[in-house]
Amino acid sequence: MRFKGLIVVFLFTLYSFYTHAQEDSTSFLRPSDSLNQKRLTTVMLGQGLFYTGSLFALNTLWYKDYDKSKFHTTNDFGQWLQVDKAGHVYSTYQLSRLSSNLFTWSGIDKSKASLYGAFIGFSYVSTIEVLDGYSKEWGYSWSDMAANALGTGLFLGQEFLWNEQRILMKYSYHSTDFARQRPGTLGDGLQEEFLKDYNGQTYWLSFNIQSFTKWDNFPKWLNFAIGYGGHGMLTGSYNSEESGLYPQDRYRQYYLSLDLDFSKIPTKSHFLRTVFDVLNLIKVPFTTVEFNGKKEVLVHPIYF
């Protein structure tokens, strides 16, 4: 799917803010204690319009540059050192989480809101995968679908097991030199590179320490994070037609760091709670230890 999943997540975040803002300034951010039909209608119509409108936009703006074909599948599991698969997990996890929060805001029971949110998150990203199946350039990927299911499962499993998200999936990015070598593929400028350069993307599992240990005096907002990324990727795989033109030293990267769970920061402000909810999309920069495929152990004072 390349970077379309990340685009959708950030667009959906903007939509979530817009949906909340339909109420007056003193109450619109406060979740309803019971079913609020006006809010539910707003959420349902808004998600329907977002779903159809964004898919139409992707179909006309993204896929128009590529020839269409009969529906076909592709095996791309070995590409980009699976960093793109981590992106699929992240996209479906965050879309499921954000959708669920909107249903909770409208007053739907939390367990039902989780189911509805998971269904929407998985269905939306999977629909994009179907569109890929009709593109000669891409193709329907079963490994992408498995990653989509894993992301939704990560969200939904925690809701039913713990009734909370003890393990957050987050994203971080740092600029690399590789995009300058292949700007058409990895992005031309920071805005594109943020979404397209897999070398600079890191995907994190952020564990809330207090939720697991139940230590009374331990900060509830402090998390321990495990990250994954890749380095030296100018093409999808070593075996691609273009790989011989671009010498590459590709290897995997694994990270250990600290993080913040903004949802655990005490506040009575519903505005701040909403801001914190959005901030949980991104891994907070901290001192980080890197282990990589070159058998190196590196310490980054601040890692993005």
Side-chain angles (χ1 to χ4, degrees):
M1 187 194 300
R2 292 290 289 152
F3 65 98
K4 298 189 289 297
L6 286 178
I7 294 176
V8 169
V9 170
F10 296 127
L11 286 177
F12 193 86
T13 301
L14 294 177
Y15 154 71
S16 298
F17 268 120
Y18 175 79
T19 302
H20 283 89
Q22 303 311 298
E23 300 272 319
D24 65 84
S25 59
T26 60
S27 64
F28 75 91
L29 293 173
R30 183 183 302 113
S32 179
D33 295 329
S34 58
L35 180 63
N36 184 316
Q37 192 61 51
K38 179 182 177 181
R39 289 188 178 187
L40 180 60
T41 300
T42 300
V43 170
M44 295 297 292
L45 288 176
Q47 291 208 5
L49 290 173
F50 177 86
Y51 186 92
T52 55
S54 58
L55 287 179
F56 175 79
L58 280 174
N59 191 47
T60 56
L61 298 177
W62 175 271
Y63 293 102
K64 72 173 184 178
D65 295 329
Y66 304 100
D67 294 333
K68 294 187 179 298
S69 68
K70 292 182 179 180
F71 184 83
H72 65 287
T73 62
T74 184
N75 181 9
D76 62 353
F77 181 74
Q79 294 191 357
W80 304 109
L81 297 178
Q82 290 81 48
V83 176
D84 62 323
K85 305 310 174 198
H88 276 264
V89 179
Y90 171 83
S91 298
T92 48
Y93 171 83
Q94 291 293 354
L95 285 173
S96 298
R97 184 180 70 86
L98 293 169
S99 296
S100 175
N101 289 346
L102 282 175
F103 284 115
T104 301
W105 173 75
S106 68
I108 289 182
D109 175 76
K110 193 170 186 294
S111 60
K112 292 182 179 179
S114 299
L115 285 171
Y116 298 158
F119 175 78
I120 288 175
F122 180 78
S123 298
Y124 187 93
V125 180
S126 298
T127 300
I128 299 176
E129 194 62 45
V130 173
L131 293 178
D132 280 353
Y134 288 99
S135 172
K136 187 176 181 179
E137 178 73 14
W138 310 114
Y140 180 92
S141 168
W142 285 108
S143 57
D144 284 354
M145 288 296 293
N148 295 343
L150 183 59
T152 299
L154 177 63
F155 166 76
L156 195 59
Q158 293 186 79
E159 287 297 314
F160 284 95
L161 182 61
W162 298 313
N163 198 34
E164 63 176 349
Q165 295 297 298
R166 296 185 182 183
I167 306 171
L168 302 172
M169 189 157 193
K170 295 194 175 188
Y171 172 84
S172 69
Y173 174 79
H174 61 273
S175 182
T176 76
D177 293 329
F178 297 105
R180 298 179 185 88
Q181 300 178 55
R182 294 203 71 193
T185 298
L186 302 178
D188 186 5
L190 183 60
Q191 290 181 334
E192 289 188 9
E193 294 170 23
F194 181 79
L195 298 168
K196 299 176 71 172
D197 184 6
Y198 288 128
N199 300 281
Q201 297 178 9
T202 306
Y203 293 94
W204 301 84
L205 291 176
S206 183
F207 297 79
N208 185 257
I209 300 171
Q210 200 276 338
S211 294
F212 284 103
T213 63
K214 303 301 181 182
W215 294 335
D216 294 335
N217 297 324
F218 197 85
K220 294 182 179 180
W221 39 263
L222 185 60
N223 281 22
F224 175 74
I226 300 173
Y228 175 70
H231 182 87
M233 299 176 289
L234 292 172
T235 59
S237 67
Y238 277 123
N239 299 322
S240 67
E241 295 180 359
E242 301 170 311
S243 60
L245 302 176
Y246 300 96
Q248 302 173 60
D249 182 18
R250 303 156 62 99
Y251 56 87
R252 304 177 191 275
Q253 298 164 304
Y254 305 91
Y255 301 95
L256 301 178
S257 184
L258 295 177
D259 186 33
L260 300 182
D261 182 348
F262 288 95
S263 69
K264 302 293 185 181
I265 297 177
T267 179
K268 294 183 179 180
S269 169
H270 292 286
F271 173 77
L272 285 179
R273 287 186 183 276
T274 302
V275 172
F276 289 163
D277 191 51
V278 172
L279 287 176
N280 266 345
L281 291 164
I282 304 297
K283 162 72 168 63
V284 176
F286 264 108
T287 300
T288 300
V289 180
E290 173 189 338
F291 305 86
N292 61 48
K294 298 182 72 173
K295 298 182 179 180
E296 297 175 327
V297 179
L298 307 175
V299 177
H300 304 276
I302 294 293
Y303 181 83
F304 290 84

